[in-house]
């Protein structure tokens, strides 16, 4: 790989000064990531890790709309319809990459500007240095697709303070930059107007620069904000979402009667009942997990079950394909989601188990 490492196509990876730049380059699709892009990122990290002149990695998205709107959902939906194997292959390689980013030996800076969702969270929120802006709209809206917050989302959400992670995971609500910091998905708010100057500074850091040095550099551009509008609701969220059964969370919201509770109930009523019950179970299991990898193994088992489910195909149809926003969930009510249904998402999968290099 030369200075113009991967110069064209959906991913651009190149050396600029002492920085290894990784740019997601599908601006018309808000940089939604494909299987080939995951492979190209992995190859770029191989080269950047081995190059002693590269001190820091910078992840960014092309265009003005966002870092990444998620994975290539339409391709997954088409493969699921014909009982293909794209889900098995894509999620395996994606999750292994997520774990690699978490443990990457050089400072890895993610510019989480604009929309950051799903797979984009997996590429950025496991970074050592996570930069958000006043334009950041970060979300894990998978329950609205009959899915659950994957790409290590259960690990991240389970480390948010109190029940904030439970709230964001079940509702799919959007975090702004300061709330992303409160939820432990990000580290610093930098005004978007200052990103070019920060990027320039990162390309000039000395070889061997430590993570603490990079943090200090980023802090020099930061606003210092650490909490947004959702953080204000922390006490109420903690009380309402502390339960381990979806039925009890719904009952608590119904009893509360506040505007916040009523708006939250309306949001939850739009989600997949099965997706919510599975998500809550995975979030509670994640609290006792010892590592991101442990959560990713569990998420991979659940993802393969999702891929085979009518709920996933129906959720994607309603949100992405037909866009009628009227999914017909199976089963249609939370109380109809049986323990046996949930157990299928948690069962070991033998030779298909996720394994890390």
């Amino acid at each position: 790989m030369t200075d113009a490492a991967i110069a064209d196509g959906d991913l651009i990876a190149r050396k600029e000064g002492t920085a290894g730049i990784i740019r997601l380059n599908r601006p018309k699709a808000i940089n939604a990531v494909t299987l080939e892009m995951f492979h190209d990122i992995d190859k770029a990290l191989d080269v950047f890790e081995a190059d002693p002149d590269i001190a820091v990695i910078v992840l960014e998205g092309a265009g003005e709309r966002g870092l990444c709107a998620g994975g290539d959902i339409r391709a997954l939906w088409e493969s699921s319809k014909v009982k293909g194997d794209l889900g098995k292959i894509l999620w395996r390689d994606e999750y292994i990459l997520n774990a690699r980013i978490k443990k990457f030996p050089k400072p890895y800076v993610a510019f989480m500007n604009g929309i950051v969702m799903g797979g984009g969270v997996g590429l950025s929120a496991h970074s050592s240095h996570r930069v958000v802006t006043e334009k950041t709209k970060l979300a894990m809206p998978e329950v609205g697709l009959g899915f659950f917050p994957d790409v290590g989302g259960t690990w991240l959400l389970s480390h948010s303070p109190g029940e904030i992670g439970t709230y964001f995971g079940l509702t799919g609500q959007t975090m702004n930059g300061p709330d992303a910091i409160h939820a432990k998905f990000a580290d610093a708010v930098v005004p978007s107007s200052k990103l070019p100057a920060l990027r320039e500074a990162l390309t000039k850091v000395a070889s061997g620069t430590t993570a603490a040095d990079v943090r200090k550099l980023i802090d020099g551009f930061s606003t210092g904000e650490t909490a947004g509008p959702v953080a204000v609701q922390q006490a109420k969220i903690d009380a309402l979402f502390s339960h381990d059964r979806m039925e009890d969370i719904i009952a608590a919201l119904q009893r509360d009667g506040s505007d916040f509770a009523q708006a939250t109930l309306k949001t939850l009523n739009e989600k997949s009942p099965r997706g919510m019950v599975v998500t809550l179970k995975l979030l509670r299991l994640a609290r006792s997990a010892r590592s991101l990898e442990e959560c990713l193994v569990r998420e991979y088992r659940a993802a393969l079950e999702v891929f085979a489910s009518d709920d996933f195909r129906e959720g994607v149809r309603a949100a992405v394909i037909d866009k009628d926003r009227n999914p017909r969930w199976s089963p249609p009510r939370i109380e109809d989601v049986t323990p046996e249904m949930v157990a299928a998402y948690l069962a070991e999968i033998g030779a298909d188990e996720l394994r890390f290099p």
Side-chain angles (χ1 to χ4, degrees):
M1 191 184 284
T2 64
D3 277 6
I6 301 170
D8 300 303
D10 293 341
L11 190 92
I12 295 171
R14 63 177 175 229
K15 188 174 175 178
E16 291 185 27
T18 55
I21 305 291
I22 297 175
R23 181 181 303 150
L24 309 180
N25 192 39
R26 297 183 70 209
K28 289 182 180 176
I30 320 179
N31 303 314
V33 269
T34 63
L35 178 60
E36 292 73 22
M37 289 167 73
F38 290 129
H39 291 166
D40 284 342
I41 292 168
D42 201 45
K43 289 175 194 170
L45 290 178
D46 284 342
V47 175
F48 294 158
E49 184 174 349
D51 187 340
D53 294 331
I54 288 184
V56 62
I57 311 301
V58 177
L59 174 74
E60 60 186 13
E64 298 296 316
R65 296 165 70 193
L67 171 67
C68 175
D72 192 347
I73 290 293
R74 184 180 288 268
L76 286 164
W77 178 77
E78 289 171 350
S79 180
S80 176
K81 278 204 309 177
V82 298
K83 295 182 167 54
D85 60 1
L86 180 61
K88 180 188 287 189
I89 296 166
L90 183 143
W91 286 320
R92 180 189 64 215
D93 293 355
E94 181 181 16
Y95 295 2
I96 290 169
L97 179 59
N98 297 151
R100 180 180 188 181
I101 289 166
K102 171 80 170 169
K103 291 186 169 179
F104 200 71
K106 296 180 181 181
Y108 182 120
V109 182
F111 284 177
M112 301 164 77
N113 190 34
I115 291 170
V116 186
M117 294 186 182
V121 174
L123 293 175
S124 58
H126 301 300
S127 309
S128 59
H129 301 77
R130 305 163 300 177
V131 176
V132 288
T133 74
E134 80 285 355
K135 296 180 179 179
T136 294
K137 295 179 180 177
L138 190 154
M140 302 210 75
E142 288 81 0
V143 283
L145 299 175
F147 202 31
F148 62 89
D150 66 328
V151 298
T154 61
W155 169 262
L156 292 162
L157 291 163
S158 69
H159 284 76
S160 298
E163 298 296 340
I164 286 284
T166 311
Y167 167 79
F168 278 123
L170 291 173
T171 64
Q173 291 290 77
T174 300
M175 307 176 201
N176 69 1
D179 268 332
I181 291 177
H182 181 71
K184 296 187 172 7
F185 274 68
D187 304 301
V189 179
V190 173
S192 58
S193 61
K194 291 186 177 181
L195 283 183
L198 173 56
R199 187 185 187 281
E200 177 72 12
L202 287 166
T203 66
K204 295 177 177 175
V205 299
S207 185
T209 294
T210 67
D213 293 333
V214 173
R215 179 62 193 257
K216 189 174 179 182
L217 172 63
I218 293 169
D219 284 347
F221 292 83
S222 171
T223 65
E225 295 167 273
T226 58
V230 177
V232 175
Q233 302 283 355
Q234 178 85 59
K236 186 175 282 290
I237 287 170
D238 287 352
L240 295 170
F241 283 84
S242 61
H243 309 283
D244 294 335
R245 297 188 331 133
M246 273 309 303
E247 294 94 327
D248 296 334
I249 290 175
I250 296 294
L253 287 163
Q254 289 170 335
R255 283 195 305 271
D256 183 272
S258 65
D259 289 347
F260 174 81
Q262 294 311 303
T264 301
L265 268 176
K266 184 174 183 295
T267 298
L268 293 178
N269 283 336
E270 298 166 357
K271 308 303 181 188
S272 158
R274 190 191 304 225
M276 286 189 289
V277 173
V278 169
T279 293
L280 184 59
K281 180 67 174 178
L282 289 170
L283 289 175
R284 294 301 183 249
L285 288 170
R287 285 188 169 165
S288 59
R290 295 180 301 276
S291 67
L292 168 62
E293 285 90 341
E294 185 181 327
C295 287
L296 286 167
V297 166
R298 199 178 287 124
E299 289 176 12
Y300 189 64
R301 293 170 183 168
L304 295 193
E305 185 68 19
V306 167
F307 194 64
S309 75
D310 291 335
D311 249 23
F312 173 67
R313 289 186 286 271
E314 176 62 10
V316 176
R317 181 206 64 75
V320 179
I321 309 300
D322 298 339
K323 298 182 180 178
D324 60 20
R325 308 289 174 189
N326 187 32
R328 291 177 288 279
W329 300 120
S330 173
R333 303 184 311 157
I334 287 168
E335 49 267 41
D336 295 331
V337 181
T338 66
E340 291 76 21
M341 287 178 191
V342 177
Y345 291 81
L346 305 174
E348 295 182 9
I349 52 177
D352 287 331
E353 290 283 12
L354 185 65
R355 293 177 177 83
F356 300 92

